[in-house]
Each structure stands twice: as C-alpha cells, then as structure tokens.
Amino acid sequence: MIKKAVFVSLLAALGLNAGGALAQPELNIYSARHYQTDEALYGNFTKQTGIKINRIEAKEDELIERLRNEGANSPADILITVDASRLAKADEMGLFAPVKSAVLEARIPAHLRTDTWIAFSTRARVIVFNKDLVKAEQVQNYEDLANPALKGKVCTRSGSHPYNLSLGAALIQHLGAEKTEEWARNLVANFARPPRGGDTDQIRAVAAGECGVAIANSYYYARLMNSTRPEDQKVVEAATLVWPNQKTTGTHINVSGAGILKHAPNKEAALKFLEYLASDDAQRYFADGNNEWPAVASVKVNNPALDKLGEFKVDTLPMSKLAGSVAEAQRIFDRAGYR
C-alpha cells in the first residue's frame, strides 16, 4: 500500500495518471460574477488551452471569507469579482500573489491594474434623470446631486454597496475627504426616499417619477435598452442618461477584475487564464455579453446599446489609488447617514 501511494504521488508530480497518460491540467476559480454569457468565456479558454476549469460561484463576501478560512489549504487559484472595493478588500487581507506578465502590461492600461490584481472590463457610474422633474443642466456632475435645489428628488441604492463606495473613494481622491463628507451629507438631505433596491430599481423609479434623478451603473441601463419588453423601452424613454463630469475629471468607472491567489496550486495555469482574459476574444465576451466596455482599448465590439450610448470622457484615476480610499469612504458615508 505504501509503495502504491508513493507511485501515485510520483505520477502526480510528473503530471501523469495511474494509466500512464498525461493528467489534464486544471484551474480552480472562485467567481462572484454570475452572468450566463461567461460560460462561453470559460469554455473558450478550455478549448484553446486544454485546461479544465472548476468553478465555485458565490457572493463576494462569502468567497473572501471562504478563502480566509481555507488559508494555505485553499484549492483556489483565482478570485474573480466586480468592483475595485471588493478587489481591494481581498488584497488588504493578503489573499493575492504578485502578478508579473508582459502580456498584461502591454494590453491592460496602467490605471486598470495593480501589482496584484487586474481589471478586465469597465462599467460607468452614470446619472439618470427624469426630464419632466429635473433640468439637464442641474445634473451634469456628481457634485450636483448634493445641490439643495434637488431636495427630495435623489434616489440611490445603499451607500454601503461597493459601487457607491468606489464612487465615494474617487471623490475623496479628487475633492478631498472633507468636501466628500460635505457632499455625502447634502446628498442624504436630498433623498426622495431611503436607499433601497438595486441600480435597475433606481432607473425605474426615475422613469416612474418617484425620483427626479438617480445614480446607476451603465450596464443596467444598457440592458433596458437591449430589452424587447415594451415596459423596459418606456423606462429608457423616460429616464435620460448623463455622463457625469465631462468637463472635469471624467465619468467614474468601476470594474470586473481578477487576481491569482497567494496559495494557488496551479499558478502557471492561473497566469495563462489572466492573459486569456486580456485577449480580443475574451474582451468581446465581456462587452457583448454583459454590456461592459473592454479594458483593452483596441478591441472592437458589436453591441447596439453601447454604440448608441456613444463615447465619453473616462476618469482614469488609478485603481490602486481608488482602492486605497474605499475604507475611508465607508467611514464618511456612515457619519453622513448614507447607509
């Protein structure tokens, strides 16, 4: 029995199974992205490389807690999640290993990567407004949402949600902590109702006249644009999208990103996967499948909704700086009563 165990261990070390054949390489991914279109993304990687993907999907906090509990015994190679605040949390916990890749450095813009995690797609944090309740010139900047003229007209989802925390972190970088806290307090004073629901709920509330203006991620709006349901088309007609801060810092973006885990048992395969995510094929899956923009600027996509939305000035604040201010944004929002 001992000799057999040693033999099997030796075969495993050589990449062979007990029948003498090469063992299929594998990659273990913990993912907080839950989009059906990602199935093609994973399948294409396996087809190109022969590397089998084992995937566990759950909410971000659940996956991060699982990784913390598993420690050095974790089978996970890669963590994929959305928003810089969540990636920053994993990084602060020491979950990621440094990433060194000439491919990633050449294809992913510097502001969309850190030493330990990489952004592969972007979404814009936009303003939507009801033109019957609010004038366009009143809502051209994030800062405008704190204007007393909008009292009783603003809707958002929870201030503790990562999308809003990332926006708060960006404001801290651009305006400073003191002005950001003042903005948050005045924003809360302008609420039409307490924060609730997701981004699509905010857009629908604007269209229904429950709110005059709201903040939402661009891909939720694009989903409604692509919908064939008459009620969704009516929402798009009633809720007008604005690219905020076009004359100043540019529109804030958040991201989908990934990193190789510190205790990854398959680091070589993990790096191949990250490099694959920067390929033209994978970048198109992000854009066409979930209405996100590719991180690689040269990639051309075919998405009518994104084409119709047009081009806009992007805030190129480095993700590393933004991630460093997320915890402070949470403290500021808590003090301001933005929960």
Side-chain angles (χ1 to χ4, degrees):
M1 292 295 292
I2 294 176
K3 288 183 179 180
K4 182 178 180 181
V6 171
F7 176 67
V8 171
S9 297
L10 179 59
L11 289 178
L14 294 174
L16 302 171
N17 60 28
L22 284 173
Q24 184 182 20
E26 295 190 356
L27 183 67
N28 302 315
I29 295 176
Y30 286 6
S31 176
R33 278 179 61 97
H34 312 296
Y35 309 123
Q36 288 185 343
T37 50
D38 285 356
E39 295 300 324
L41 182 81
Y42 297 122
N44 191 45
F45 173 74
T46 298
K47 184 178 179 180
Q48 287 186 18
T49 64
I51 298 173
K52 178 186 175 184
I53 290 179
N54 305 308
R55 193 164 85 250
I56 290 178
E57 291 188 348
K59 293 181 178 180
E60 298 82 5
D61 289 342
E62 293 173 3
L63 291 176
I64 289 174
E65 181 64 15
R66 179 172 182 152
L67 287 166
R68 188 185 68 82
N69 290 334
E70 289 173 344
N73 295 318
S74 177
D77 297 303
I78 283 178
L79 173 67
I80 301 175
T81 188
V82 295
D83 198 81
S85 65
R86 288 156 168 160
L87 289 158
K89 180 179 179 181
D91 202 11
E92 288 168 5
M93 294 173 65
L95 297 180
F96 290 136
V99 176
K100 202 67 177 156
S101 165
V103 172
L104 295 174
E105 290 177 9
R107 291 185 61 81
I108 304 296
H111 71 280
L112 293 179
R113 51 185 162 84
T114 72
D115 292 338
T116 53
W117 56 264
I118 314 293
F120 293 102
S121 65
T122 66
R123 313 89 169 269
R125 198 79 179 134
V126 299
I127 292 172
V128 292
F129 72 98
N130 186 315
K131 57 182 178 293
D132 292 332
L133 300 175
V134 173
K135 295 178 181 178
E137 57 267 27
Q138 290 180 285
V139 289
Q140 293 301 302
N141 303 289
Y142 299 113
E143 295 91 328
D144 294 338
L145 301 179
N147 191 317
L150 295 178
K151 189 172 182 64
K153 294 182 178 179
V154 177
C155 283
T156 80
R157 72 194 302 165
S158 170
S160 63
H161 192 277
Y163 296 159
N164 286 333
L165 290 175
S166 286
L167 174 59
L171 291 174
I172 289 170
Q173 288 292 320
H174 293 310
L175 305 176
E178 185 176 341
K179 287 186 177 180
T180 300
E181 184 159 349
E182 181 182 357
W183 174 85
R185 291 185 185 281
N186 290 333
L187 178 75
V188 170
N190 284 344
F191 282 162
R193 54 161 170 72
R196 67 171 181 265
D199 281 5
T200 303
D201 297 310
Q202 314 312 315
I203 299 170
R204 294 189 188 280
V206 167
E210 182 181 354
C211 320
V213 60
I215 309 171
N217 269 4
S218 54
Y219 69 94
Y220 293 105
Y221 192 88
R223 282 181 190 172
L224 293 169
M225 292 177 70
N226 281 331
S227 173
T228 58
R229 298 169 61 187
E231 57 268 37
D232 289 340
Q233 291 304 310
K234 288 181 180 179
V235 168
V236 173
E237 290 172 9
T240 303
L241 181 144
V242 173
W243 302 118
N245 295 73
Q246 290 302 281
K247 294 183 179 179
T248 58
T249 57
T251 297
H252 169 68
I253 58 171
N254 53 48
V255 301
S256 283
I260 298 173
L261 294 160
K262 182 168 61 177
H263 301 297
N266 305 296
K267 283 189 168 64
E268 184 177 345
L271 183 57
K272 285 183 179 179
F273 183 75
L274 293 192
E275 291 178 342
Y276 161 74
L277 292 182
S279 69
D280 285 8
D281 285 346
Q283 289 287 292
R284 290 191 192 97
Y285 282 124
F286 285 124
D288 296 338
N290 196 47
N291 304 302
E292 300 170 84
W293 284 277
V296 179
S298 62
V299 173
K300 303 300 180 185
V301 300
N302 181 25
N303 186 313
L306 294 183
D307 290 342
K308 191 172 181 179
L309 287 177
E311 297 183 354
F312 61 99
K313 179 182 176 181
V314 174
D315 184 355
T316 57
L317 177 72
M319 288 293 116
S320 55
K321 287 187 177 181
L322 187 151
S325 294
V326 169
E328 186 174 15
Q330 180 71 80
R331 292 191 292 271
I332 285 174
F333 285 0
D334 286 346
R335 290 196 296 268
Y338 186 15
R339 299 183 176 89

